[in-house]
Amino acid sequence: MDMPPDDPVSATDDALLVLYANGDPTAARTLTARLLPRVFGHALRLLGDGAEAEDVAQEAMVRLWRIAPDWRQGEAQVTTWLYRVTANLCMDRLRKRRGVGLDEIAEPEDPNPGAVEQIQNRARHDALQEALDQLPARQRQAVVLRHIEGLSNPEIAQVMEIGPRAVESLTARGKRALTDLLAGRRAELGYEDEKAG
């Protein structure tokens, strides 16, 4: 094992998963604390609904625990596997949800106190989420992974199980579509003062 047994915090995700499979409950707690917020955030961005994102995040982690005994260390990154599972679970929910209007989908709650800045940020977030919701599912997934989650094109290719060129195409088309969808809303979202002059 590539970590001291008394220091799970510095262990790799791979090592923690193997330790969990071997019965180490501390490894499970450490890995959950490390990965669950990222999985939840990814699901929230894809679904736009906090309760559904929480369900998806929990299901993705359960699936991770189930495959732990069969995990082959070094073959894939745990995070890449988790992003793929999370995205697939989200896509399943989005397919089932088709036909539901945007007004019927609950927006995630903002934990910050309501100030003018927070209201503006919320309007921008909502506008982005509405625009993301209008993209085809694969474009949305690629744009979220690249521009919100910050993954590289090769990492996205692994998550989506496609080639890097397909990733580039999906993200480029998704960005163009988002630009078109949001183009007429600059002033409404408070960007008119930010133009270079």
Side-chain angles (χ1 to χ4, degrees):
M1 193 54 49
D2 58 358
M3 67 163 243
D6 59 344
D7 188 19
V9 175
S10 64
T12 65
D13 295 343
D14 266 359
L16 288 170
L17 192 56
V18 170
L19 285 171
Y20 164 76
N22 292 327
D24 184 342
T26 303
R29 284 192 297 276
T30 303
L31 197 56
T32 299
R34 185 183 293 174
L35 298 178
L36 188 59
R38 293 170 70 183
V39 172
F40 171 76
H42 184 56
L44 181 60
R45 288 181 190 98
L46 290 177
L47 294 170
D49 180 283
E52 276 195 289
E54 195 172 304
D55 290 346
V56 164
Q58 289 174 0
E59 176 62 23
M61 292 304 292
V62 166
R63 290 185 183 194
L64 180 65
W65 303 136
R66 281 190 201 132
I67 62 101
D70 301 318
W71 186 260
R72 291 192 294 266
Q73 206 169 359
E75 281 190 21
Q77 290 186 359
V78 173
T79 51
T80 301
W81 185 91
L82 258 179
Y83 275 127
R84 183 181 305 137
V85 168
T86 302
N88 288 341
L89 290 168
C90 289
M91 294 304 144
D92 289 345
R93 285 179 178 253
L94 289 170
R95 278 187 212 101
K96 290 177 188 172
R97 190 199 288 174
R98 281 195 183 127
V100 176
L102 287 176
D103 294 337
E104 298 171 38
I105 300 170
E107 290 293 329
E109 290 184 28
D110 186 352
N112 297 315
V116 173
E117 243 177 86
Q118 292 298 322
I119 292 169
Q120 187 69 57
N121 287 340
R122 183 56 184 225
R124 289 175 179 178
H125 173 271
D126 291 349
L128 176 60
Q129 188 64 53
E130 287 172 20
L132 282 169
D133 289 344
Q134 293 181 56
L135 294 181
R138 300 286 281 171
Q139 281 182 24
R140 179 184 326 138
Q141 183 181 3
V143 168
V144 166
L145 286 170
R146 180 72 184 104
H147 296 288
I148 297 176
E149 298 295 336
L151 270 63
S152 68
N153 284 353
E155 289 172 321
I156 297 167
Q158 282 187 326
V159 169
M160 295 182 70
E161 298 179 314
I162 58 176
R165 293 187 120 184
V167 171
E168 290 174 19
S169 175
L170 284 170
T171 53
R173 289 195 324 254
K175 259 180 81 174
R176 277 194 304 271
L178 282 177
T179 300
D180 292 344
L181 288 165
L182 296 169
R185 300 186 68 182
R186 285 185 65 83
E188 169 195 346
L189 297 174
Y191 288 111
E192 72 278 6
D193 296 332
E194 297 176 18
K195 286 185 180 177

